Amino acid sequence: MRFQLLGPLALADGPDTVVLQPSKPANLLAALLLNANSTVSAGYLQRAVWGEEQPATAKAALQTCVLRLRRLFAKHGVTGTAIEAVPGGYRIVAGPPTLDLLAYRDQVRRATAMDRDPEAELYTLRDALSLWQGALLANVRSAVLHRDEVPRLAEERLRVVERVCDLLLGLGRCGEALVDLWTATRVYPGHERFHEQLIEALYRSGRQSQALAEYRRVKDFLREELGVDPSPSLRRLELSILRGEELGPVGQAALAASAPGRAAPVVAASAEAVGSGSASGAVVSRVVRGETVPQPDAEPPGSEPAPAPASGPDPAPAPDPATIPTPVTAPALTSAPAPVAAPAPAPVTVPPGAATGAPSAAGACAPSVDAGVGPVPGVPHFTGRAAEAEAMTARLTAPPSTGPADHRALAVVVSGAPGIGKSALAQHVARQVGDAFPAGRLLVRMTRADGEPRTAGEVSAALADALGATGEGRALLILDDVVDADQVRPLLTPGGPPGTGPGLAVVVTSRMGLGGLIATHGGWVQRLTAFTEAESYGLLLAALGAERVEAEPEAAHRLTAVCGHFPAALRILTARLLTRPGLRLADAVDWLGDDPLARLTLTDSPGHSVTGLFDRALDRLDPRLSQAFTHLAQGPPELLADGGPEHEGPVPEAVREQLADAGLLEDGPPGPYRIHGLLRAHVRRTARIRDRRTEKV
């Protein structure tokens, strides 16, 4: 049994939750849990239950409330937790497994030890925030608790939200930060730090005019509602944007001060919370035996562009955006077996079509030439793929083979359609198997931002720069978005890439099946398909929270069906729903169902869209294959069968095999292959638009 304070006061037993009705015993239980493991005076408990004006019989009535609570515990099978009468008052004993508030503070406290690994810190803080399940103590009718306790707890949460957004900005994931910040600034219009982060995220994303418009909006609000001017840091940020200046990284002292637990640690019953900050950079350096060697900025394709944090032992972001840029460290394989605490976050880039209009001085989120090598980032809200992850973990952690080919890399190929979750699975598994790879783990982007593949020579040179002198033991490389077998074969030869030692393991992600690579170099293939219904529902639970999803389970299942259980579509949908917390899931079904392709896009980041994803995949095809696929998608499903309709004629099996190998055809029925519903709808929609344009001409 678990007590829930971070939302309505409730008792939870696994998936079953009992929300307590407003009552005097509920007031008493909330007051005790808010001060768990401490003696709470009888006088304070009486004020919490009855308010400042207490009845003459309050002392006896308090004992009655305690008795009623003990009966409530017995009724719901609460064991191991008791209300103890102690001199001067009462005490309830609880721990992180039995009280969500303590679990939340424990998670935040653990994050303070991760300041050298921003990805791990971010993941841990987000995991902590997922424990908040709605309006705090909404069913507790105690004016004293809402006056004295709720604001303190809300401030704890806001500090962590600030820190999460700072980490996202520091890692260059401005699009993700914007999703949180649009909501935060509207819910807390007087919270200047959120506005500062939002303006910074917009500017770093290349949206200078929107950043200035947001500054004017918050400036008007502060003057009209509060009669004050924006803070000095906000004014400095506006000036930097007007001048087109770079928002550079900060010094190590500021970084250390802003890390959780430095200036304002969150401990058991403390009202303090984590600090905040942000960082960016335009220079990447390499650390080799203590030396810092400047290198060109690194930023491969995939999602949002990422900055590298300031060099040194403490890469966490810090708050002042007006500091002078300093060199930053590039990714390096470390000897730590835990999730790699590499000095720099994994470099990523803006997808084709994403807005990048700000001057290059805008800093972290602006595109640049990259080397494509970085530490493996965490995957927020990773769900599903349990069997696949278990099988990959077993393969990667198995002892290296011995014999003549003992220096050949162990290869695992993860293939499937664009947006099916190949990179997410590879990164998630890599983070789980850290103990097996003491020399470290690296993510290697095999495709540039413009869609052009990197050569094996380029990748080898980038790896040599990033690795420097490797640690002892095995290393793991993720070769992400491989275009064909020839691109990766030279990296899997005996001896492996420069700088890697024996026992190297390689995970290759590719839309192609890469059967030729398996035939010549061996290895194992994990082919991904769309989520099951349970996996799709699990993703909604993880991303949106159990309270929102379980309140409308039928609508949640309908939403996953509209998305075709397609992971990329579900990720975009959850991001949109998080920015609209008041939208009921049932209403979202109708809203999305009217035009799913148009609405499965992030309005603030057009590159993150289902249509853009499919367009980029089709652009990679040979024109003849693209034409054949368009014909198949526009025709009836029978076209995919071996014979095909008589009036249409069969589509050659070789063509269907190539399209399946490219991840555009899934296993049948009705024939050996089928086309995912979203992809078929996209091709037909594109054809209609093209035909209308032709008619106008």
Side-chain angles (χ1 to χ4, degrees):
M1 186 65 69
R2 180 183 180 90
F3 296 101
Q4 293 183 345
L5 270 178
L6 304 180
L9 180 62
L11 300 176
D13 186 8
D16 300 324
T17 301
V18 177
V19 178
L20 301 184
Q21 294 296 321
S23 63
K24 297 293 191 294
N27 293 357
L28 173 61
L29 179 59
L32 289 170
L33 291 173
L34 286 166
N35 299 277
N37 306 314
S38 300
T39 299
V40 186
S41 70
Y44 179 80
L45 291 175
Q46 289 168 201
R47 290 196 302 275
V49 174
W50 287 280
E52 299 298 343
E53 297 182 5
Q54 303 164 29
T57 58
K59 186 175 181 180
L62 179 62
Q63 295 173 348
T64 302
C65 278
V66 171
L67 181 60
R68 290 174 62 186
L69 269 184
R70 288 170 176 163
R71 289 173 179 169
L72 180 69
F73 287 3
K75 175 183 176 182
H76 292 288
V78 177
T79 58
T81 301
I83 301 176
E84 303 173 349
V86 295
Y90 292 90
R91 177 178 62 199
I92 191 168
V93 178
T98 56
L99 178 57
D100 60 355
L101 175 60
L102 297 182
Y104 167 76
R105 287 171 171 163
D106 185 61
Q107 286 279 79
V108 175
R109 190 162 43 245
R110 289 197 300 111
T112 64
M114 300 177 181
D115 53 346
R116 293 173 183 268
D117 187 350
E119 284 283 359
E121 183 184 358
L122 175 63
Y123 182 86
T124 305
L125 290 178
R126 277 190 157 168
D127 192 36
L129 288 173
S130 69
L131 296 173
W132 291 74
Q133 300 293 322
L136 198 62
L137 300 182
N139 56 336
V140 174
R141 304 290 189 260
S142 170
V144 170
L145 294 183
H146 281 278
R147 181 195 67 198
D148 298 340
E149 301 287 353
V150 169
R152 177 172 61 83
L153 291 179
E155 185 63 23
E156 282 191 42
R157 180 181 178 276
L158 290 182
R159 290 293 184 89
V160 174
V161 172
E162 283 182 16
R163 180 64 180 176
V164 165
C165 293
D166 280 329
L167 287 169
L168 289 171
L169 291 175
L171 292 168
R173 289 151 62 173
C174 298
E176 289 183 51
L178 284 170
V179 171
D180 295 330
L181 289 168
W182 282 121
T183 300
T185 53
R186 273 50 184 174
V187 174
Y188 304 100
H191 195 100
E192 288 188 67
R193 179 59 187 148
F194 284 147
H195 290 285
E196 185 178 343
Q197 290 173 314
L198 175 59
I199 294 167
E200 181 178 342
L202 288 168
Y203 183 50
R204 291 185 188 279
S205 298
R207 296 155 66 176
Q208 183 177 11
S209 59
Q210 282 184 268
L212 291 171
E214 183 65 20
Y215 175 82
R216 288 192 294 271
R217 197 188 72 79
V218 67
K219 179 180 177 181
D220 291 343
F221 172 84
L222 292 172
R223 286 184 171 176
E224 293 173 8
E225 299 295 327
L226 305 176
V228 297
D229 288 323
S231 65
S233 60
L234 261 177
R235 296 199 297 271
R236 287 197 301 271
L237 180 58
E238 181 210 21
L239 187 59
S240 296
I241 295 173
L242 290 171
R243 292 173 174 173
E245 295 175 347
E246 178 177 354
L247 306 181
V250 297
Q252 292 306 306
L255 288 174
S258 75
R262 293 292 192 269
V266 177
V267 292
S270 170
E272 299 300 318
V274 294
S276 60
S278 61
S280 68
V283 179
V284 173
S285 59
R286 171 169 63 95
V287 175
V288 181
R289 295 177 182 153
E291 290 183 71
T292 302
V293 184
Q295 299 290 333
D297 192 12
E299 184 183 289
S303 53
E304 291 291 333
S311 61
D314 199 344
D320 189 356
T323 45
I324 301 173
T326 58
V328 295
T329 56
L333 287 176
T334 72
S335 58
V340 179
V348 286
T349 60
V350 175
T356 55
S360 59
C365 294
S368 65
V369 179
D370 67 282
V373 180
V376 178
V379 182
H381 307 309
F382 184 89
T383 56
R385 309 292 191 204
E388 294 89 341
E390 183 179 358
M392 285 181 63
T393 299
R395 294 275 179 173
L396 292 172
T397 56
S401 59
T402 58
D406 57 348
H407 292 298
R408 174 168 287 177
L410 165 68
V412 176
V413 175
V414 184
S415 61
I420 206 68
K422 302 179 293 295
S423 299
L425 175 62
Q427 292 168 24
H428 173 72
V429 171
R431 302 273 294 194
Q432 301 302 306
V433 298
D435 291 345
F437 298 97
R441 297 148 292 166
L442 283 181
L443 178 66
V444 184
R445 309 282 185 176
M446 300 297 288
T447 309
R448 299 191 189 91
D450 59 5
E452 288 298 311
R454 287 187 171 85
T455 66
E458 286 180 73
V459 173
S460 292
L463 281 172
D465 282 341
L467 293 171
T470 63
E472 296 181 0
R474 303 177 68 195
L476 173 64
L477 301 181
I478 297 178
L479 305 182
D480 192 45
D481 200 13
V482 169
V483 174
D484 55 37
D486 289 337
Q487 186 189 20
V488 74
R489 276 196 183 101
L491 301 174
L492 300 181
T493 54
T500 58
L504 174 71
V506 177
V507 176
V508 175
T509 74
S510 178
R511 298 172 187 176
M512 308 300 293
L514 301 184
L517 180 68
I518 298 298
T520 58
H521 285 66
W524 177 74
V525 178
Q526 180 65 65
R527 185 82 173 181
L528 300 186
T529 58
F531 274 162
T532 64
E533 185 174 350
E535 288 175 325
S536 298
Y537 188 79
L539 176 56
L540 292 192
L541 281 174
L544 301 179
E547 180 182 17
R548 188 174 182 186
V549 174
E550 291 177 351
E552 301 178 80
E554 182 182 353
H557 283 292
R558 289 167 60 197
L559 278 174
T560 63
V562 173
C563 291
H565 306 293
F566 197 71
L570 290 166
R571 289 283 182 187
I572 293 170
L573 170 67
T574 54
R576 294 214 65 177
L577 290 177
L578 284 170
T579 65
R580 301 182 65 181
L583 180 65
R584 295 176 59 249
L585 298 189
D587 295 332
V589 173
D590 298 331
W591 163 76
L592 180 62
D594 287 342
D595 193 351
L597 288 172
R599 286 168 180 165
L600 286 172
T601 183
L602 300 182
T603 54
D604 62 319
S605 183
H608 287 86
S609 68
V610 169
T611 56
L613 178 71
F614 290 156
D615 280 336
R616 292 191 291 275
L618 294 172
D619 287 343
R620 283 194 186 183
L621 286 180
D622 179 277
R624 290 170 296 179
L625 278 179
S626 181
Q627 184 177 6
F629 182 71
T630 300
H631 174 62
L632 287 170
Q634 289 185 273
E638 292 75 18
L639 271 179
L640 293 167
D642 290 333
E646 293 183 4
H647 64 283
E648 293 281 359
V651 174
E653 182 180 358
V655 172
R656 287 179 285 149
E657 285 284 346
Q658 290 179 70
L659 291 171
D661 193 56
L664 298 176
L665 297 184
E666 301 175 341
D667 293 337
Y673 303 112
R674 63 185 172 87
I675 300 174
H676 191 279
L678 284 177
L679 183 53
R680 185 185 289 275
H682 171 69
V683 172
R684 291 179 173 178
R685 177 192 180 104
T686 303
R688 287 196 301 271
I689 294 173
R690 183 180 61 246
D691 291 343
R692 284 200 298 269
R693 288 174 178 170
T694 304
E695 289 170 5
K696 291 179 181 179
V697 174

